[in-house]
Amino acid sequence: MSTLAYRGRRWFSDHVVLIYAILVLLYMFTPVFVVILMSFNEPAARQTYQFDAFTWNNWTNICAPFQLCDSVAVSLKVGLLATLVATLLGTLMAFAMVRHRFRGRSAANVFVFLPMASPEIVLGSSLLALFVNAGFAGVLGFWTIFLAHVMFCLSFVVVTVKARLSGLDPRLEQAAMDLYANEWQTFWRVTFPLVFPGILSAALLSFSLSFDDFIITNLNSGQTVTFPMFVWGAAQRGIPPQINVIGTIMFLVALALVLGGELGRRRRQIVR
Amino acid sequence: MSVSAAHLGGGEQQQAAAVEPPQKRGVTGYILLLPGALWLTIFFLVPTITLVSTSLYDPAGSVETGYSMTWHWQNYVDGIRDYGVQFGRSLVYALLATVACILLGYPLAYAIAFKSGRWKNLMLVLVIAPFFTSFLVRTLSWQLLLGDNGFLVETLKTLQLLGPDGHLLATPFAVVTGLTYNFLPFMVLPLYASLEKIDPRLVEAGHDLYASPFTAFRKITLPLSMPGLVAGTLLTFIPAAGDYINAELLGTPTTRMIGNEIQDLFGAGAYPVAAALSVTLMAVIVAMVFLYVRRAGTEELV
Amino acid sequence: MAGSDLVLTGVTKRFGAFTAVDDLDLTVPQGSFFALLGPSGCGKTTTLRMVAGLEEPTAGSIRLGADDITTLRPYRRPVNTVFQSYALFPHLTIFENVAFGLRRTGAKKVKPQVEEMLELVELGQYGGRKPTQLSGGQQQRVALARALINRPQVLLLDEPLGALDLKLRRQMQIELKRIQTDVGITFVHVTHDQEEAMTMADTIAVMNSGVIEQMGSPAELYEHPSTTFVSNFLGQSNLVAATVVEKDEDHLLLDVEGSRLVAPLARAAALTGRVWVGVRPEKVFLAHTGSETDDGSNVLRGAVVTDVSFVGVSTQYLARLPWGQELMVFEQNTGARLSFRTGDQVDLHWMPAHTFLLDAAQDATAGVEREVAE
Ligand SMILES: Nc1ncnc2c1ncn2[C@@H]1O[C@H](COP(=O)(O)OP(=O)(O)OP(=O)(O)O)[C@@H](O)[C@H]1O
Ligand SMILES: [Mg+2]
């Protein structure tokens, strides 16, 4: 009996961190479950904090609320474009910072870190101050949002790709050169495929930061409405449950992408 | 076991000689750096300078009539006099949220790095996944969870942990919960990244040298994960201090943070004071980051 | 100088103020199995990297046959490396790792060649795996296959057998030697393991702090060490301080604390004044004090046995000479020899032909620590 108790205690102390971690994950997922649940809600009143009745309506009429789908389209467009540009520029910077010698590298490091260290409200307001001072107050919109998003995604891309790149064993590239690959072939056959996962996660991170951003966008968007801004506006007036449908779809698409990639990776490896 | 043996074999072969990445000289580096650096200069550095100068404009101007530079230092004095409370509140809330993030995030990152076995990738995906449900939508769902008719409040009331007319929503607790929730992944990911680099053999070596699990953690794991902890703290504290969404959606006028005020002032066109507040916030944060990084003794930030 | 010998002339490599390789001259004959032996950090890897083109010499030149390859890009050299840490491409399968060089050079019939090569290193069924799914030893064999398949003029091996267990290691040694004889490729093999070097190599170069101390066939190095470092690093040696008193055309007459010893001129690296007299422990015999010894033997009298250790095939003695120095003596356990106990009074004797002389200016303990470290 006492050995059983001992075993139990032993099991618990071995797994306590894991159990705690799973509880934390549950905490992280609770709101997601709520979002999924509420996407099937038929609200009784305009401003609702509870589940009233089940319906498919929200899923069949996603675009019913005025501007909702337009705002999602804007967010997707900004997100894709900003991700593309930020990933490209950030990757180039990361390569320069890890693989090239230049003056003022520590200054460059600080410079890249600073945007991450600035509160969004400061970034957003200073950009607005710039646009206003430059006489752009009237043209705030899609392009100013895009410019801002690239700016704050850039640092995250640099940091992510840099980490991957500096973890790369330079002897792999030397081995490639030793095996008759010239610089160009070495880059495309060895360096790039090995850094690619880092670039990909940088791009994913960029997209989610951009798609999600509210504070900076709100200050620099003029009349353009992104999805977070739509949600914000709706939160003041009464939330259409379709918002939860969009949230659920985003979640599922992202999950499918990541899990699909992971499964594909596993399938390609022969299980031992 | 075979994996760690392979590791061992490889590890011993490591030679200091060739590990450092070869760095090329010449102009290519500058060329690669240029576009990104230019972007950051135009859309980050210049705006920051503009913000500082805006903060010294005459507050009598407006967007329509334009502003004039009058070195109006009074903007700062006014800002701090009028919004000092919100300032302090922001820092306190951000600090509480950061501590909560460490308490929740460190064990999670630790478990993923060392205890998850073949579920490692899945758990990592799960950490990032909630990210994709929009930030605002999730914060709104906290409204529901913490709401007066919500399950949580009912339970707490039944357990007599909350008075009959107690609330969770629209309290400082709700705001800090929201902040914690929203910035937790920013704590977990850098922590995980630096925990994962720790060779488990180091901890085993610690045990071998008579360190108890706790001592081994304190003397080996914790110091080695310091870069991740510092990065995570910064990436949590800084955005939390400037956030206003949680305070707006989950709080009340008495839980307003500095972000709310800056946003409203910009909205109302009171640019100079708003800019002065932004600059003050940035200065306070930079000072705190500087002190913190000094104390933590980490050179490389991220 | 034959067709395509590898010749290093005055090669120097500095990292900042630190000189890793110092004015190195080396000729590796075409088709030979050449071993580079030396303590950790002496510059072996650096030398190989310069030959491979991964590091550019600070000074000096490297030639392969008639071509100067000193500054040639690595991928233009008919030289391949088996890296000390394998450096297998983690994103490619074993098959693709091995095929990498062939694909770059545009070779035909890649598949059968790779399959044949994988069979050779006994990894036939592993072609579809990724490097992380192999054990350390298997990874090393992939690294070997990946380099060998290109049939380079020179194959550089940086401790390729380091992670293998003894059995596999012996097996791979034989395999390597066989492959080398078959294909006639020049092998430059870096190793810590002197036994490995001695059994496999035609020529050994002993390297120490960036310079080659001595080069020659294994037997030559063992029998005629030219420095105290080599005498201690390859096998073990007894070194006793002596003075040269007389010299005829074949021999040197020496004085060691009053005893007269003889050494052949041919084995003397120093000819006058103060010298080290060297003799290998297995060449020394013990006898009870005062007993007759063969005519002409070198004899040191009046020693005391201070330590006896029985190691199966032989017994290892330590004997303290009257002036306090301890010498090692290895006696084969043939049953024909007397055995001694601690405290016994003994004389040490050996044949003059087994005596070698080294320069007294060198440190008698150079190269000894290695034994302790192992
Ligand atoms: N890139 C470098 N920068 C500075 N010093 C270096 C560099 N590469 C090698 N060294 C130094 O040069 C010396 C020789 O190194 P090398 O790798 O050639 O040794 P090695 O003989 O291969 O040793 P081991 O047997 O341990 O592999 C060492 O002291 C090493 O620290
Ligand atoms: Mg080496």
Side-chain angles (χ1 to χ4, degrees), chain B residues 15, chain C residues 45 84 158-159:
Chain B
Q15 43 169 8
Chain C
T45 299
Q84 193 169 11
D158 199 345
E159 303 196 42

Side-chain angles (χ1 to χ4, degrees), chain A residues 169 171-183 185-186 189-191 193-194 268-272, chain C residues 49 52 54 73-75 77 79-81 83 85 87-91 100-101 104-105 128 132-133 146 150:
Chain A
D169 186 346
R171 275 168 296 193
L172 292 172
E173 289 159 290
Q174 294 170 355
M177 288 238 195
D178 187 59
L179 294 164
Y180 313 110
N182 59 31
E183 281 89 353
Q185 290 168 325
T186 302
R189 304 236 168 231
V190 177
T191 318
L194 288 171
R268 260 177 276 126
Q269 295 179 345
I270 298 159
V271 185
R272 265 205 245 206
Chain C
R49 288 170 60 81
L54 300 173
R73 305 296 293 141
Y75 48 87
R77 302 183 185 210
V79 174
N80 286 120
T81 311
F83 283 78
S85 51
L88 300 180
F89 304 124
H91 61 302
F100 194 93
R104 296 293 82 70
T105 49
T132 48
Q133 295 169 313
R146 187 178 71 171
N150 304 295

Side-chain angles (χ1 to χ4, degrees), chain A residues 95-103 105 165 173 177 183-184 186-187 191, chain B residues 20-30 32, chain C residues 73:
Chain A
F95 266 93
M97 292 170 82
V98 177
R99 288 303 171 83
H100 290 269
R101 219 180 268 254
F102 57 91
R103 279 163 187 285
R105 68 182 312 106
L165 197 54
E173 289 159 290
M177 288 238 195
E183 281 89 353
W184 181 254
T186 302
F187 181 80
T191 318
Chain B
E20 198 168 298
Q23 290 187 341
K24 304 184 195 105
R25 293 164 190 279
V27 291
T28 325
Y30 294 97
L32 295 179
Chain C
R73 305 296 293 141

